[in-house]
DNA sequence: ACGCAAACTTGCGTGCGCGCACTTTTCTGG
DNA sequence: CCAGAAAAGTGCGCGCACGCAAGTTTGCGT
């Protein structure tokens, strides 16, 4: 239903997209990002270079996509999955934290690569924009479909994305400075904390929107923001 | 203090920047944006093409810059200028609305041009990102310099920027659809309304931050409007 | 089963963004 | 007033992004 636009077409497309980003990441890891031409990626994925940028509008985007995956859909799904009585703020915060807390054992070196190269870092941060629309729909579904709510949902989703961006910026700058300063590469385990801290200031807005819907009461609480 | 980096250097730089964006807009209006090569802009401004993209990283950016001007600084200044007793939300909202309510009599046709071309529209919307940092500082100045507040200010500034982006998106899509649908080009006079509507959902968050400010009374010192 | 329409791919050409090394201009200390 | 340093401007070259106009594949109706 949701993904059922067409059968074979969409399937092949997805396969190509995945082949491209996988190849991009693999090559970037093997030779270093600067020694990877677009043509190489295209060749590795078995398509023409022109087709490559039918899928990605920059080389960085392709590499990063291998790591970000389908995060946008997962965040939205996570929000939708939370029971309706937990309060919008908590639902969103936990959903986001869950999805960005990547126990990416496999993609750990990929992240190291990304955090190292400025261009990749920018693309990585920029990729969070993708959650806006799915998240807006998820929030709208919780808050109500009224035109008024629709707009609020969009704004809140954009704000959440912005907050995530800020958190990632902090995380990355902290990482780079720790690398620069000491020899120690802090694994930056505090991303979840940074995310919570960045999202906390938005909680009042989210809760206000939540409260303004049809009329549910909610209990605050267990997340304990302080 | 703010502009006191160097004397002649900065001055010339600013002049060049302005010459470039002015030339870019003028040429775009004269021949249509697609008939303007980067070389033309550079030549019109009296610099080399290479120098041109030391200032702007895309052709669209230069054209748009002629219209957006120094908006980022003005928004921040406007926020700082509001008396301390109006509440952060109102201060921000009014400051933003004021700056985006461009009675641009001169730049009206420029806006028409921008709203017409998709690439320019995107650049125009993207330009709002520039207000983030100045606005963050302005908010931080109001809320308090504590590390905790600093972060909140950054998030809130980013959220405000995101909300503005949403409002502009709506405004632009409304414009384009009205052009497409009827023959009437709605002058889209409702931008201020859209901005207020987009910023409204953030008011609770802004006020919450305002209320949580650290040390009670404060004085702005230099920026104080007396 | 077949053919038409829509979607996707591809080759080509053009302008552009930007790293690099170098020249010219501006700033600073003596 | 004059070096030497710092910063801005410039020329060159390389990939790359993307519009365009084919060619090719997939899907749908009859």
């Amino acid at each position: 239903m949701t993904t059922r636009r067409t059968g074979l077409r969409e399937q092949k497309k997805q396969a190509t997209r995945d082949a491209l980003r996988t190849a991009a990441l693999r090559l970037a890891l093997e030779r270093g990002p600067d020694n990877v031409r677009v043509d190489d990626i295209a060749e590795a994925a078995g398509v023409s270079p022109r087709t490559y940028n039918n899928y990605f509008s920059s080389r960085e985007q392709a590499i990063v996509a291998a790591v970000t995956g389908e995060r946008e859909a997962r965040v939205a799904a996570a929000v939708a999955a939370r029971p309706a009585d937990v309060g919008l703020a908590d639902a969103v915060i936990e959903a986001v934290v869950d999805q960005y807390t990547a126990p990416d054992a496999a993609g750990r070196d990929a992240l190291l690569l990304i955090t190292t190269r400025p261009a990749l870092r920018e693309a990585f941060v920029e990729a969070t924009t993708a959650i806006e629309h799915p998240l807006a729909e998820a929030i709208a579904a919780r808050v109500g479909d009224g035109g008024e709510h629709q707009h609020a949902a969009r704004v809140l989703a954009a704000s959440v994305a912005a907050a995530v961006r800020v958190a990632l910026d902090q995380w990355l700058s902290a990482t780079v400075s720790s690398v620069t300063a000491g020899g120690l590469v802090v694994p930056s385990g505090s991303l979840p904390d940074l995310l919570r801290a960045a999202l906390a200031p938005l909680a009042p807005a989210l809760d206000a929107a939540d409260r303004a819907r049809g009329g549910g009461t909610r209990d605050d609480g267990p997340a304990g923001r302080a």
Side-chain angles (χ1 to χ4, degrees), chain A:
Chain A
M1 314 263 183
T2 30
T3 343
R4 248 310 163 65
R5 219 204 204 125
T6 17
L8 213 167
R9 236 174 171 79
E10 200 66 16
Q11 192 176 336
K12 270 199 169 180
K13 240 185 120 158
Q14 221 51 35
T16 304
R17 159 169 264 106
D18 190 66
L20 279 170
R21 61 186 183 202
T22 301
L25 178 58
R26 185 175 56 80
L27 291 176
L29 285 173
E30 286 178 6
R31 336 178 172 169
D34 296 341
N35 301 327
V36 180
R37 311 290 102 193
V38 165
D39 301 27
D40 303 335
I41 302 175
E43 188 183 9
V47 294
S48 87
R50 185 62 183 85
T51 295
Y52 159 83
N53 9 320
N54 285 347
Y55 284 85
F56 300 101
S57 49
S58 85
R59 212 174 60 259
E60 292 75 27
Q61 207 174 101
I63 299 177
V64 162
V67 132
T68 59
E70 316 296 345
R71 185 179 289 156
E72 61 271 0
R74 284 186 285 128
V75 171
V79 169
R82 307 272 157 181
D85 60 339
V86 287
L88 185 56
D90 288 339
V92 168
I93 291 177
E94 293 309 316
V96 167
V97 170
D98 276 9
Q99 292 305 321
Y100 275 86
T101 302
D104 260 344
R108 186 153 291 160
D109 40 355
L111 266 195
L112 186 68
L113 179 78
I114 289 177
T115 55
T116 301
R117 310 279 168 163
L120 291 179
R121 304 201 320 166
E122 190 177 351
F124 181 66
V125 172
E126 191 66 20
T128 67
T129 309
I131 73 172
E132 272 192 35
H133 280 99
L135 182 58
E137 287 176 21
I139 293 180
R142 274 188 160 248
V143 160
D145 301 24
E148 194 65 36
H149 294 145
Q150 198 90 4
H151 291 154
R154 228 182 123 184
V155 170
L156 293 174
S159 298
V160 168
V164 172
R165 235 181 23 74
V166 170
L168 288 178
D169 268 333
Q170 291 181 300
W171 182 60
L172 288 174
S173 69
T175 298
V176 79
S177 62
S178 63
V179 171
T180 308
L184 278 180
V185 179
V186 175
S188 66
S190 55
L191 216 202
D193 293 344
L194 285 172
L195 282 169
R196 283 182 212 276
L199 289 169
L202 292 179
L206 289 165
D207 284 338
D210 202 14
R211 216 169 293 113
R213 108 193 102 138
T217 332
R218 18 164 268 96
D219 68 327
D220 207 358
R225 30 184 178 291

